[in-house]
Amino acid sequence: MTVPGDDRVARGEQLVLATLIGGVGNHAGAWRRPNSRVEEKYDLRLFADLVGRAEAAKLHAVFLADGLRLETDTLRSQPFAGLEPITLLSALAAVTSRIGLIGSVSTTFSEPYTVARQLASLDHISNGRAGWNLVTSAWGEENYGRTLPPHDERYERGAEFAEVLFALFDSWDADAITIDRATGVYADPAKVRAIDHVGKHFDVRGPLNVARPPQGRPIVAQAGSSDVGQDVAARFADVVFTTGRTTVEDGRRFYRSLKERVAGTGRDPGSVKILPGVSPIIGRTETEAKAVQRELNGFIDLVSGRAKLSRQLAGVDLDDLELDEPVPLERLPQESQVQGRRSRFGVYRALVEEGWTLRRLIEWEVASAGHHVPVGSSEQIAELLLRRFEAGAADGFVLLPSYVPEGFTLLTDEVVPILQERGAFQTDYAHETLRGNLGLGPVT
């Protein structure tokens, strides 16, 4: 399979751009900036403002992440996960009209019938703009009365979960509801059917008790990048939200690998959009951006940062290490042995192999949670995104603003217009549904 060349924009291809918002910025210290609006983290008006800005910039979608436990070792120094995604997205559907609404829901700690109802309801409420970010979860078992399954088993369950959801959405024909007042027929029972799914992880009779979603089925995003995660993405995903590789060549390798897997399932590789996460620190000039970076890094609580980094490194104890010495590689397991966030661990292990110090790793974790963190002016950030798109390292990006609201406004009001002027990004929505705006065909 060939990788796109440097004429993608000239051929009329355009970036897919989404954003992930948590209310206070992706950098864990960003809430300490004077204008951060952290007091509004549980206020719908904050999220409505941010998503409204994203919609005005014509971004394709907004992502909401989720967390299934409270990290008490970082609670003192940074805000925690916050509002439940499907609930918040349902509220945001009422104050937006075109932007896609994608929420993370765990396949390990949820049941497919409930999630199918939630997503179908969100798709109806939003008139076809719902999406599901399929995540398998690496922690949270203490709150659900079950043991966290091994890594590969979680993805096995996730794949069956997706199969059940697809079958439930398809349990209604698009024209099942007739609403014939004269005859008294509301719906044709012959066009609604049980799915009778009996599998290793789930027994679900069906049919769904919500009518077929406007999109046929909501968009499916997938965030795991391990080998088994890529296999699940190749089978089910419309969008892959992957860790933003630091180098272009790393991005190209992942892009080729996943597109080849998609083709191997018989699907069109062009129907799966690969969107690495990018968490830029932007200023009006490069000098200003570097000053913001220094300010944000000055807010880092190194004790909490060490705890966060330990989780990313499969729970390895880092307490005895000096901040300015490298993390010993021999302390880390091989990536294949990790049962938590395996692909994210692999990103960090590669940095340990390069000899990064503990302090540098903490700063990167607090700033990025494993995503690429370029620092520069709006023009420099726009150029970086465009270069990676042209190089075949991405179909677009999930933008994680490092700080809010100013950093988010620089993304929507300065970076995006530069991409639009270059012909690399849409200037308006072409369709009513998220599926249409992603350039994906209807579900049949």
Side-chain angles (χ1 to χ4, degrees), residues 32 73 206 387:
R32 295 178 62 184
D73 53 2
R387 283 200 308 270

Side-chain angles (χ1 to χ4, degrees), residues 21-24 40-43 47 64-71 75 78-88:
I21 58 171
V24 296
E40 301 173 68
K41 184 168 171 61
Y42 290 92
D43 192 325
F47 291 92
L64 292 183
D66 199 13
L68 300 181
R69 73 178 184 191
L70 180 64
E71 304 294 349
L75 179 61
Q78 66 186 70
F80 49 91
L83 297 170
E84 190 280 318
I86 300 300
T87 304
L88 179 53

